[in-house]
Each structure stands twice: as structure tokens, then as C-alpha cells.
Amino acid sequence: MPQEPGAHEPPEPQQAPPAAPSPAPSAPVELGDLAALKALAQPRRQRILEHLTLHGPATSATLARALGLNTGSTSYHLRELARYGFVQETDGAERQAQPSPSQHRERWWRAVPGDRRFPPRSRQSAEMRHVIDELNHHAYAADLDLFERLQRETVEGDPWADAFPYSRGTIRLTLPELREFFEEYIALLNRYKRPESETPTDARTLLTRFLAFPVPPAPPEAAPGAVPAPDAVPAPGGEPAPHDPADHTPAHNRREADPS
């Protein structure tokens, strides 16, 4: 991967341009280009893209300050994201004409919205699967960290203190039904999307995450007449090896958290 530049760019104005109207939901686009996936998987680029998605257009300087990064490095990452269509410079209609002491043209960047999807796992090469797994690992870990931090930092009396809905459940579906379920979920999200001009002033941006996976198959039952495994494996010296009592917790003492 190319080295990140360290040189700083000229200072840029701090007033953000107005956000562009939200476009109509686009058709799904499959991210099958390994180079694009590698560009997206870079942790700093994920942070930059998330910031632009949540807070709207920004310059490399404002992004660098918000994320604690080097301005020149931030510009490099923005260009890499733009190369694969994840971000783009805003056009003249979206920027406000502001006098710049440095006489350099300010460059505002925005996240490019879209329904981007990974190829099915059965069609992923070993290298692509590794890249996608790393991308998901960092992304979901950051999501969970933010979710827990915001819950802890919620101020008493804040009307948004209860704005943390979540659900853990189970359903039994066939593969075609699962695909239909997912598309209905995406359609539900799109139904609530609207242009900024139609969004109430008291609305806030919400992060939504969807995760579903099949339960592992049950282990096969022991064959009739099979000798059960010993409770403890002898350690060197003939003494039984220590064991954790929790390993033998009866099944009826296990509790499943499955709220309705």
C-alpha cells in the first residue's frame, strides 16, 4: 500500500457547506473489486467515511482535527476513497463562496450514498474473504464501542436517553425467505429516508445495524454403547487435572436471552 504523505495542506475555511438533498434509493451495487475493498477496509478511511456520513460535507482540515489525524494524510485517504467512488468533491452549488486568505480553492468532500453489498461468501476468494472479515471486524467493534459509550454518557433528563432500541431474537427461515426478509429490512430503512428540506428540526441521525446468522448445527449424539469421556484428564504425575465446574453446568441452568 502506498505510503501516506505527511506534508500539511494550506489551512481551509471552517464553515461547512449546506448538505445536498438526499437522493432517491439507488439499486444495489456489489463491491466485487478487491482493490476497492482494500481501500475501504483501511481503518482511517472507515472513520473518515463514517464522519462524512454522519456529519455531512467537510474539508480535509476539519476531518483531521475531528479525528486527530494529519491533514496531508487525511487528504491522501480522501483521494483513495474518491478513486473508488466512496466519496466525492461537492460541486459549486453545494459550496458557499468564502474568501480564503491563502487563495487556495477549498475542497469539500461528501460521502456518496448507495446500497453497496459484498459478494455472497460462496463467491468470495480467500483473499477477498480475509479483507471483508477484517473490514467487518473493525467496523462492528467501532459500532459497539460507540453504542456503549453513548449510553454511558447520556445526561440525565435528556429526552433522547431512551433512544437506544435493540433486539435479540430468533426466527426459522428458508434461504429464499431470509433473502426476502433482508430486502424488506432495506426497504423499511429507505421508507424513512427523506431530503434534508423535509426533515424536522428535532430529528437526529441514527445509526442502524443489521446482523443475522444461522445457528451452528447441533453436535451428533453419542452412539449407543459408547464410553463416555472422563470428567478430568490426568495431568503429568497421575493427579487429575483441575477443571472448571462451569464446564459441567446442567443444560436446564442455562438461560437464553431472547426478548420478544
Side-chain angles (χ1 to χ4, degrees):
M1 181 174 294
Q3 295 295 317
E4 301 171 10
H8 287 271
E9 292 186 339
E12 299 170 341
Q14 305 309 310
Q15 186 173 1
S22 299
S26 56
V29 175
E30 186 174 284
L31 294 178
D33 182 3
L34 184 59
L37 290 169
K38 288 182 176 180
L40 184 62
Q42 214 281 347
R44 291 184 177 181
R45 293 173 196 156
Q46 291 188 47
R47 294 175 60 197
I48 289 172
L49 186 58
E50 181 177 81
H51 190 281
L52 292 175
T53 301
L54 299 182
H55 304 291
T59 65
S60 61
T62 55
L63 284 168
R65 278 188 291 275
L67 303 176
L69 303 176
N70 175 280
T71 306
S73 173
T74 304
S75 296
Y76 165 76
H77 288 309
L78 283 166
R79 291 193 298 270
E80 288 298 297
L81 288 169
R83 175 185 299 183
Y84 298 102
F86 300 118
V87 304
Q88 65 182 193
E89 285 193 66
T90 58
D91 57 31
E94 289 183 320
R95 294 196 299 265
Q96 293 178 339
Q98 300 290 338
S100 174
S102 63
Q103 300 302 314
H104 284 271
R105 182 177 72 87
E106 57 181 355
R107 302 180 71 181
W108 291 90
W109 299 86
R110 63 186 290 266
V112 178
D115 184 356
R116 301 183 182 93
R117 307 186 185 186
F118 298 141
R121 201 161 179 84
S122 59
R123 289 199 284 106
Q124 296 173 14
S125 66
E127 185 176 9
M128 179 181 292
R129 184 174 297 180
H130 174 74
V131 172
I132 292 176
D133 287 350
E134 284 295 305
L135 191 159
N136 284 332
H137 172 75
H138 291 293
Y140 281 109
D143 288 338
L144 183 58
D145 180 70
L146 180 60
F147 177 81
E148 294 176 342
R149 179 169 64 83
L150 292 177
Q151 281 191 314
R152 293 192 303 267
E153 297 176 357
T154 299
V155 180
E156 186 176 354
D158 184 347
W160 286 82
D162 296 330
F164 296 89
Y166 59 90
S167 171
R168 298 178 70 242
T170 57
I171 52 177
R172 292 178 63 83
L173 302 174
T174 64
L175 279 174
E177 289 172 337
L178 176 59
R179 298 186 187 100
E180 182 180 357
F181 181 88
F182 179 72
E183 294 301 334
E184 289 184 11
Y185 167 77
I186 298 298
L188 177 63
L189 290 181
N190 288 331
R191 199 176 81 198
Y192 280 87
K193 290 182 179 180
R194 54 196 166 188
E196 190 67 26
S197 59
E198 300 177 9
T199 303
T201 56
D202 60 344
R204 291 179 60 174
T205 299
L206 295 176
L207 292 173
T208 59
R209 301 294 183 259
F210 175 86
L211 189 66
F213 45 90
V215 174
E221 296 182 1
V227 178
D231 289 341
V233 178
E239 293 295 326
H243 64 278
D244 186 350
D247 292 340
H248 303 282
T249 302
H252 64 270
N253 286 339
R254 297 172 185 163
R255 181 171 60 86
E256 177 181 349
D258 188 8
S260 58

